[in-house]
Amino acid sequence: MNMKEVERKWQARWEKTKFNNFDDRSSKPKKYVLEMFSYPSGAKLHIGHWYNYGPTDSYARFKRMQGYNVFQPMGFDAFGLPAENYAIKTGVHPKDSTEKNIATMEGQLRAMGAMFDWSAEIKTCDESYYKWTQWMFLQLYKKGLAYRKEAPVNWCPSCSTVLANEQVVDGACERCGTTVVRKNLTQWFFKITEYAEELLTGLENLDWPEKTKLMQKNWIGKSTGCEIEFDCDTGDKIRVFTTRCDTVFGVTYVVLAPEHPLAKKLTTKEQLPAVEAYIEETSKVNEIDRLSTAREKTGVFTGSYCTNPVNGKKVPIYLADYVLYSYGTGAVMAVPAHDERDFAFATKYGLPIVKVIENTAGETVLPFTEDGIMVGSVDFDGLSGEEARDAVAAHIAKLGKGGKKVNYRLRDWLVSRQRYWGAPIPILYCPVCGTVPVPEKELPVRLPYDVEFRPDGKSPLAKHEKFMKTVCPQCGGEATREADTLDTFVCSSWYYLRYADANNDREPFDRDEVDKLLPVDTYVGGAEHACMHLLYARFFTKALRDMGYLDFDEPFLRLVHQGVILGPDGNRMSKSHGNIVSPDEYVEEYGADAFRLYLMFGFSYTEGGPWSDDGIKAIARFMDRVEKIVLKVKDYPTGGGMLGKEEKNLNYARHYAISRITRDMEAFSFNTAVARLMELVNAIYKYDALEEKNYTLLKNTVKDLLLLMAPCAPHFCEELWEQTGGKGSVFEQSYPKEDPNALVLDETEYAVQVNSRIVCKTMVENGLSNEEIEAQVKALPEIGEKLAGKEVKKCIVVPGRLVNLIVG
RNA sequence: GCCGCUGUGGCGAAACUGGCAGACGCGCGGGACUUAGAAUCCCGUGGGAAACCGUGCAGGUUCGAUUCCUGUCAGCGGCACCA
């Protein structure tokens, strides 16, 4: 078959008949199948795109043939850092390079033959889209879910610019090699923590991979503990969070994160130089290193003391970078006897170690971090575990110094970016009225085209006078615009909603349209999004629900992660590894269908693996075999009504394939689905080789083969469907349904074991009782030998599988 | 470092809920067809002469473990400004 011609023919026909567009008037149940949209960083589709979109499209087509009205949109996550970096390097404007890349990718995505509904296409960098991204920001702002506070950024003092984590290599700027420092800026945040509890409990009912749910759960990091207030001699109060308030009598010092607002305030004059040097030093260390338990602990004494509320003891206040300002209260009570980090720190700095928990199961070796009996804790001695913590927390509450507290590791979402290529934050600053949201009717706040990208200490928009200067909508006076743009994750947190009503210019989406199409039934994308994108999108959905814009709680009911196709050397494909494999030559040589089929067959979908093209020829051969037999059988007469053993076998193979492929397609187990197709083809060839055959049965089996295969090789099967006289599109046909009767066999092969070792196999008539099976097995000559003179102590019959005789 | 995942023939991989390890392919070996090659078709193929041994490694639970548990090694993903 001339695949190039066939692909063009069917793609043109689908386009012309709007075959892939969602049918708004259909009464069939809807199925929203969504692949994570593409980031147009390079001009061409890479193997990862094909791997994500090809097999998932086959799933969508499968659902369509099962009678669903399928919606499968596609778009582009078009803002982002790479386009801006490319602009800095080459001078090509991000808008120009992005639009060019998108145009190329659109063409390639069409050539893939996926049934994307292009009428719902979105590009996040279009005004018609980011207008509504800005609108989302305003709604969150109005709802009190967007706020400003100081937060650190990576700062390159030489380039005078903010760096993304990715641009920091070994603590230095990737461009100039200067050591990067942390610097505080006032930035915008979304209050995702407000939804921490619901984001956690909502996971329960989602059909998501368990590992992904677990990762989100750990990311949210709920822990129940106690907040305790330590009064400082200066009159300030330090609040600490601990999950081990049963150790509070063992506190020998308190530690603040170096960024803690009280850090400098509590420092005595004598200690100031040391403290300042330490803070400076820590600003160069990243969080991952700071959290490393293997790294040597460092810290500095502030010179001040505070009081342990439970025993009135004065303890010194230290700064140390193993305490993070972003977690809990940014301060901890240190109990070196019962915490490994505190123990290491106390040992290094010669601080006292006071044991207050005794091991009940043996010797107490410090640091002892498990639950045990409280000692040296006055009235609480003898208590342990939860009971101890409850009692201590209640006591602290009674003292008015804190009490039980639920804490989340989840932090608010920092959405400000000091960059150009993103949606401008729709806020302005008026000397009179303060922070003022841009009125909705003035949206979008347009991203100006003529900007200076060269990093020189000011973000690109801040340098653009015409953009920055504006008028306050409240007082009419002069005002300045916010110069930061939004994190691209904001754009991708609501795109799946926009697809439902992509061309609406009055509102981000019509509520009825969204409630009709959403939630997404099946969402497919990389596991690297497990925590951030997927959590942000869930947060947006919940916030929009609470603001009355939609009527469901979760955006993605089912989630599937495709694996990663690595380079042939087993490394992630990248320019630096020089191991990038382009799909283009394969598609050119074998066609889109063969390439898709190969991706489905050659890898476990959720695992991925190193690229290898061994076997792509086998797929081409398989397709040839299918074509040959389909065209051969087409010309057979009908009739031949016999139903012997051979016919029964063929019909069994046919319905076994239907049953298994249906199950495998549903489960995204594409490699086994294709294997079952191959088996069916083998069975058909075997039957066709017989002298006499039931032509009607053979024709029906071949027809089912075409229908089963259609989602996996869409152009190829459309063409064969047409050539064999099929009416309309093959995708308008119903997916074959299994006949349970055809799958019932007269007998089943059992493995027979003696003492759990296989001795022989035997055919067992179906429907026998366990006792009858046991008797039959014992009568086998091979078994008789083994059992000679021995007593059968136990007989285990696993129905349909095996018999295990235990003899003594 | 922390969180999560993965590890099965020469290779890609299968294996329902603890029940015959290696389906389906690649590769390889043999054969048919052909003047020859290509293509195609058929047969065989975990290791071992065999007893037996085999799912990263060491243990455990069980009549039975690729599957469950403990420990360990290796690789991969994420760690909040890459998306």
Side-chain angles (χ1 to χ4, degrees):
Chain A
M1 197 182 284
N2 181 340
M3 283 313 297
K4 243 188 258 174
E5 213 169 88
V6 167
E7 282 166 20
R8 266 198 299 270
K9 168 182 163 183
W10 287 99
Q11 281 163 20
R13 201 174 289 184
W14 293 332
E15 189 95 7
K16 200 173 152 206
T17 56
K18 297 196 178 358
F19 194 71
N20 297 332
N21 292 13
F22 181 74
D23 182 358
D24 239 340
R25 283 160 303 182
S26 165
S27 58
K28 292 175 183 172
K30 68 91 184 178
K31 191 66 80 175
Y32 187 169
V33 178
L34 181 64
E35 293 101 320
M36 289 180 184
F37 60 175
S38 321
Y39 180 75
S41 62
K44 287 182 171 179
L45 295 188
H46 49 71
I47 285 186
H49 290 116
W50 279 85
Y51 192 60
N52 185 188
Y53 302 151
T56 306
D57 174 62
S58 295
Y59 172 78
R61 289 178 180 275
F62 160 71
K63 294 319 277 185
R64 176 177 188 151
M65 290 178 76
Q66 280 192 326
Y68 291 95
N69 186 18
V70 172
F71 180 49
Q72 189 184 214
M74 181 46 68
F76 295 91
D77 189 13
F79 278 136
L81 186 66
E84 193 163 338
N85 282 342
Y86 184 73
I88 293 167
K89 223 155 93 187
T90 64
V92 180
H93 196 282
K95 186 170 195 287
D96 299 338
S97 63
T98 301
E99 282 175 358
K100 194 171 152 230
N101 287 349
I102 288 177
T104 313
M105 287 175 79
E106 280 169 347
Q108 292 198 309
L109 283 165
R110 284 169 198 268
M112 190 181 276
M115 48 172 208
F116 296 128
D117 181 346
W118 289 103
S119 71
E121 182 184 10
I122 55 184
K123 301 166 192 167
T124 59
C125 64
D126 278 358
E127 274 177 36
S128 59
Y129 185 86
Y130 74 68
K131 170 178 180 176
W132 301 114
T133 303
Q134 293 173 337
W135 181 92
M136 294 285 160
F137 180 95
L138 292 179
Q139 307 316 307
L140 292 171
Y141 180 75
K142 275 195 243 168
K143 179 85 177 159
L145 290 171
Y147 68 97
R148 285 219 300 175
K149 73 171 181 192
E150 281 225 323
V153 292
N154 300 312
W155 181 258
C156 173
S158 162
C159 303
S160 305
T161 188
V162 176
L163 299 177
N165 287 342
E166 191 191 46
Q167 298 173 295
V168 182
V169 181
D170 295 327
C173 172
E174 69 168 0
R175 281 197 204 106
C176 67
T178 309
T179 299
V180 171
V181 297
R182 257 196 314 280
K183 181 179 155 181
N184 273 338
L185 289 182
T186 304
Q187 311 196 65
W188 285 96
F189 284 83
F190 286 160
K191 221 184 257 179
I192 190 172
T193 51
E194 190 110 314
Y195 285 86
E197 189 60 33
E198 198 196 332
L199 288 167
L200 184 64
T201 54
L203 288 171
E204 237 166 81
N205 301 315
L206 294 177
D207 180 12
W208 284 22
E210 284 307 319
K211 60 167 185 171
T212 308
K213 292 206 253 184
L214 191 57
M215 275 193 268
Q216 283 212 357
K217 192 181 155 195
N218 290 335
W219 185 269
I220 294 166
K222 180 178 182 173
S223 63
T224 308
C226 185
E227 222 171 64
I228 305 173
E229 204 171 86
F230 286 69
D231 291 325
C232 304
D233 294 354
T234 55
D236 295 295
K237 295 171 191 310
I238 296 175
R239 289 186 83 83
V240 305
F241 175 79
T242 176
T243 55
R244 288 299 304 274
C245 64
D246 54 327
T247 65
V248 69
F249 288 87
V251 172
T252 55
Y253 59 100
V254 162
V255 191
L256 302 183
E259 301 87 347
H260 198 287
L262 287 176
K264 279 194 185 169
K265 188 159 185 256
L266 291 175
T267 301
T268 58
K269 215 186 266 166
E270 302 75 57
Q271 289 301 101
L272 196 61
V275 164
E276 279 181 338
Y278 185 70
I279 291 173
E280 163 82 22
E281 209 43 48
T282 346
S283 80
K284 293 172 187 163
V285 186
N286 68 47
E287 276 201 6
I288 291 174
D289 288 341
R290 279 174 66 169
L291 277 169
S292 168
T293 46
R295 188 168 150 264
E296 170 138 6
K297 301 278 170 292
T298 60
V300 65
F301 181 40
T302 59
S304 291
Y305 293 83
C306 59
T307 308
N308 186 341
V310 293
N311 58 12
K313 277 196 185 138
K314 291 220 165 168
V315 292
I317 302 165
Y318 274 73
L319 304 187
D321 66 7
Y322 72 92
V323 175
L324 297 184
Y325 185 54
S326 56
Y327 181 76
T329 58
V332 302
M333 59 178 216
V335 187
H338 306 293
D339 181 280
E340 274 163 33
R341 289 160 306 178
D342 298 343
F343 185 84
F345 189 86
T347 307
K348 181 173 171 185
Y349 290 93
L351 291 156
I353 297 168
V354 177
K355 180 173 80 175
V356 291
I357 300 288
E358 201 74 66
N359 188 358
T360 52
E363 198 192 340
T364 308
V365 182
L366 299 185
F368 177 70
T369 59
E370 281 151 57
D371 274 359
I373 285 184
M374 289 178 73
V375 294
S377 305
V378 293
D379 300 345
F380 299 97
D381 285 1
L383 295 178
S384 76
E386 266 331 292
E387 191 193 4
R389 287 187 280 273
D390 284 346
V392 172
H395 177 64
I396 286 165
K398 217 165 86 192
L399 294 174
K401 295 290 179 192
K404 255 202 164 167
K405 175 89 196 280
V406 173
N407 188 59
Y408 297 92
R409 206 175 72 93
L410 182 69
R411 317 206 285 250
D412 278 338
W413 172 14
L414 195 167
V415 295
S416 300
R417 295 293 182 270
Q418 294 71 41
R419 285 187 230 293
Y420 166 70
W421 192 231
I425 295 174
I427 288 288
L428 45 87
Y429 303 102
C430 168
V432 181
C433 311
T435 303
V436 180
V438 173
E440 283 175 27
K441 60 177 192 301
E442 285 178 25
L443 296 181
V445 175
R446 285 197 178 77
L447 195 57
Y449 184 86
D450 52 329
V451 288
E452 171 60 54
F453 304 112
R454 202 165 34 86
D456 57 5
K458 261 185 148 184
S459 70
L461 288 181
K463 284 177 283 191
H464 195 284
E465 235 177 84
K466 248 171 87 189
F467 173 83
M468 291 302 285
K469 268 176 98 174
T470 186
V471 172
C472 174
Q474 286 178 17
C475 69
E478 273 190 17
T480 316
R481 285 197 190 280
E482 168 64 64
D484 286 357
T485 52
L486 287 168
D487 178 8
T488 54
F489 274 124
V490 178
C491 309
S492 58
S493 289
W494 73 282
Y495 77 108
Y496 50 92
L497 301 169
R498 178 68 178 175
Y499 277 139
D501 196 11
N503 302 302
N504 192 333
D505 53 10
R506 300 174 317 279
E507 50 190 349
F509 48 78
D510 177 76
R511 181 174 170 155
D512 291 341
E513 293 292 329
V514 157
D515 285 344
K516 202 162 68 188
L517 264 168
L518 276 278
V520 172
D521 295 282
T522 305
Y523 192 35
V524 184
E528 66 275 16
H529 293 291
C531 291
M532 304 176 68
H533 162 62
L534 287 164
L535 204 55
Y536 296 151
R538 293 181 63 217
F539 159 65
F540 255 66
T541 297
K542 289 170 192 301
L544 287 167
R545 173 204 61 197
D546 289 346
M547 293 185 281
Y549 292 110
L550 43 80
D551 194 26
F552 47 91
D553 305 316
E554 290 286 345
F556 315 121
L557 297 181
R558 181 184 180 197
L559 175 71
V560 176
H561 296 306
Q562 85 276 13
V564 182
I565 303 295
L566 306 168
D569 57 0
N571 292 306
R572 193 168 260 274
M573 284 191 200
S574 72
K575 274 187 198 154
S576 58
H577 280 117
N579 62 352
I580 296 179
V581 176
S582 158
D584 296 359
E585 295 95 75
Y586 294 106
V587 175
E588 177 67 24
E589 187 173 352
Y590 299 98
D593 282 355
F595 191 65
R596 288 175 55 167
L597 210 47
Y598 177 62
L599 288 174
M600 294 174 88
F601 180 62
F603 303 86
S604 163
Y605 191 63
T606 54
E607 298 291 320
W611 171 257
S612 144
D613 57 11
D614 287 354
I616 192 161
K617 281 206 180 92
I619 288 292
R621 179 155 60 228
F622 167 66
M623 289 171 71
D624 280 345
R625 266 166 75 78
V626 172
E627 182 180 354
K628 247 184 250 166
I629 196 74
V630 166
L631 297 180
K632 183 178 180 197
V633 168
K634 174 183 77 136
D635 295 328
Y636 281 160
T638 48
M642 72 281 210
L643 283 171
K645 193 175 160 227
E646 299 295 348
E647 284 69 32
K648 199 162 180 184
N649 282 345
L650 178 64
N651 205 38
Y652 176 84
R654 171 188 175 193
H655 286 280
Y656 178 75
I658 294 172
S659 162
R660 292 293 302 267
I661 293 170
T662 303
R663 203 179 77 195
D664 289 345
M665 290 298 289
E666 187 61 52
F668 278 67
S669 179
F670 302 117
N671 53 349
T672 54
V674 177
R676 301 290 92 85
L677 280 174
M678 290 172 168
E679 282 172 350
L680 179 58
V681 171
N682 291 344
I684 290 170
Y685 265 88
K686 208 168 156 191
Y687 185 78
D688 182 58
L690 298 174
E691 292 273 318
E692 284 184 39
K693 43 208 162 207
N694 181 331
Y695 291 111
T696 306
L697 174 66
L698 183 54
K699 278 174 181 262
N700 285 336
T701 306
V702 167
K703 183 184 163 194
D704 279 350
L705 167 68
L706 260 191
L707 296 174
L708 289 169
M709 190 173 169
C712 308
H715 311 89
F716 177 77
C717 291
E718 280 280 38
E719 181 64 21
L720 287 179
W721 178 253
E722 187 181 68
Q723 285 188 26
T724 52
K727 296 274 180 302
S729 163
V730 71
F731 297 104
E732 288 167 334
Q733 314 307 312
S734 293
Y735 208 68
K737 287 200 180 66
E738 71 182 83
D739 172 7
N741 293 323
L743 292 172
V744 177
L745 296 175
D746 300 334
E747 45 180 23
T748 309
E749 189 186 59
Y750 275 64
V752 186
Q753 301 182 327
V754 173
N755 285 341
S756 306
R757 295 183 86 90
I758 301 270
V759 175
C760 64
K761 293 175 183 184
T762 188
M763 297 307 292
V764 175
E765 196 185 316
N766 285 331
L768 295 187
S769 70
N770 285 1
E771 289 71 26
E772 287 168 313
I773 295 172
E774 183 179 346
Q776 181 185 328
V777 161
K778 279 180 179 161
L780 290 168
E782 300 95 318
I783 300 300
E785 273 172 45
K786 293 262 176 190
L787 296 187
K790 289 174 187 156
E791 183 201 351
V792 176
K793 288 181 172 166
K794 198 173 167 188
C795 174
I796 297 154
V797 178
V798 182
R801 294 278 178 183
L802 58 73
V803 181
N804 188 4
L805 298 166
I806 309 300
V807 301

